[in-house]
Amino acid sequence: MSSSDRQELQTLRDLIRYGVSRFNAARIALGHGSDNAWDEAVYLVLHGLHLPPDTLDPFLDARVTANERTRVLDLIDRRVTERLPAAYLTHEAWLRGHRFYVDQRVIVPRSPIAELLDQGLSPWVRDPFEVTRALDMCTGSGCLAILTALAFPNAEVDAVDVSTDALEVARRNVDEYGLQDRLALHHSNLFDALPAAAYDVIVCNPPYVNSQSMDELPDEYRHEPSLALAGGTDGMDLVRRILRAAPQYLSPEGVLVLEIGHERDHFEAAFPELEPIWLDTEEASDQILLLTREQL
């Protein structure tokens, strides 16, 4: 873009319109926090201008300085040319109104399990205050573990990941939320190094992408750790291990909430004997299931 063209972009409205045009022309892949070019552009413009992410209207026609314009256009340009998810450009991700630090050591938080935790897993958990132990398996950035701790205020929460890099990111988020006293991080290959426990709730967003889908991932998703995405030929490699071990770690009335993305057909083929409860959210259908200890 020429310097004269840049100077014509004078307001937030101008920058957002330009961002939408760039994103549409480049056919960027979305799904890391927004599902349309407008929301993506609004987020990057507001972040670049150090404005809250939910206060666009008062500033739409405000003029920007030359330095501000440069900062925003750099974010838009990197989003297109490097195909980086916006969260990696801003080092933050928002989930159900909660902010989490992220970088390329972890996948971008986007699990629809967060919506279920907003509701305290009702009605499957009768009283959130009676949950005393909870586990987030494959915690990544720690976002679901933190939301679990917030949903169940009397619970001691364990969070597990095989990646030491991911656990460093999770530690930063746990510290930012001040949950060090009741949220413990564990380095373990699934349940292998986890101390014996009886959890009332286990939430898990494991690697579940089947190998064919991995081969077809857009560039944006290839910036994420493949360790956190790839689930083997049918996507069920880790799910098999999780379901095999989970009963030993659930309390008598405990529940496992498991995300499997778009792999329901593969799940049902791998576990024809199971009859899980499928939990729909505003964002997802047939992507999250619930199993009781008795079912497992």
Side-chain angles (χ1 to χ4, degrees), residues 44-123:
L44 286 175
V45 169
L46 289 173
H47 181 89
L49 297 176
H50 305 300
L51 293 171
D54 56 353
T55 55
L56 172 62
D57 288 348
F59 301 107
L60 252 180
D61 293 306
R63 294 168 68 94
V64 298
T65 68
N67 286 338
E68 288 175 331
R69 183 189 303 116
T70 297
R71 192 161 62 239
V72 169
L73 292 179
D74 179 62
L75 286 172
I76 292 172
D77 189 60
R78 291 189 65 197
R79 179 67 183 87
V80 170
T81 58
E82 299 178 36
R83 299 284 165 159
L84 279 168
Y88 290 154
L89 294 170
T90 64
H91 292 302
E92 68 175 19
W94 292 84
L95 200 56
R96 307 299 293 178
H98 297 276
R99 180 191 178 277
F100 300 98
Y101 172 84
V102 294
D103 59 35
Q104 287 178 248
R105 293 174 290 178
V106 295
I107 63 171
V108 177
R110 53 186 177 271
S111 173
I113 291 176
E115 182 183 331
L116 301 174
L117 290 170
D118 248 6
Q119 304 158 8
L121 296 181
S122 177

Side-chain angles (χ1 to χ4, degrees), residues 28-41:
I28 62 170
L30 298 159
H32 291 95
S34 60
D35 60 5
N36 62 85
W38 167 265
D39 287 345
E40 190 91 340

Side-chain angles (χ1 to χ4, degrees), residues 190-206:
L190 299 181
F191 292 94
D192 290 355
L194 189 64
Y199 296 106
D200 302 309
V201 171
I202 299 176
V203 297
C204 182
N205 177 20

Side-chain angles (χ1 to χ4, degrees), residues 47 87 90-93 99-106 139-143 146 159 164-180 183-185:
H47 181 89
T90 64
H91 292 302
E92 68 175 19
R99 180 191 178 277
F100 300 98
Y101 172 84
V102 294
D103 59 35
Q104 287 178 248
R105 293 174 290 178
V106 295
T139 195
S141 64
C143 59
I146 289 167
T164 55
D165 283 342
L167 289 172
E168 288 178 6
V169 176
R171 169 55 60 199
R172 176 168 177 167
N173 284 317
V174 170
D175 290 349
E176 287 187 0
Y177 277 85
L179 289 167
Q180 305 93 322
L183 202 168
L185 300 174

Side-chain angles (χ1 to χ4, degrees), residues 209-231:
V209 182
N210 69 72
S211 56
Q212 180 179 341
S213 295
M214 284 294 297
D215 291 340
E216 298 168 354
L217 284 176
D219 289 343
E220 281 84 349
Y221 291 85
R222 296 184 184 279
H223 287 286
E224 296 185 293
S226 61
L227 180 68
L229 295 173

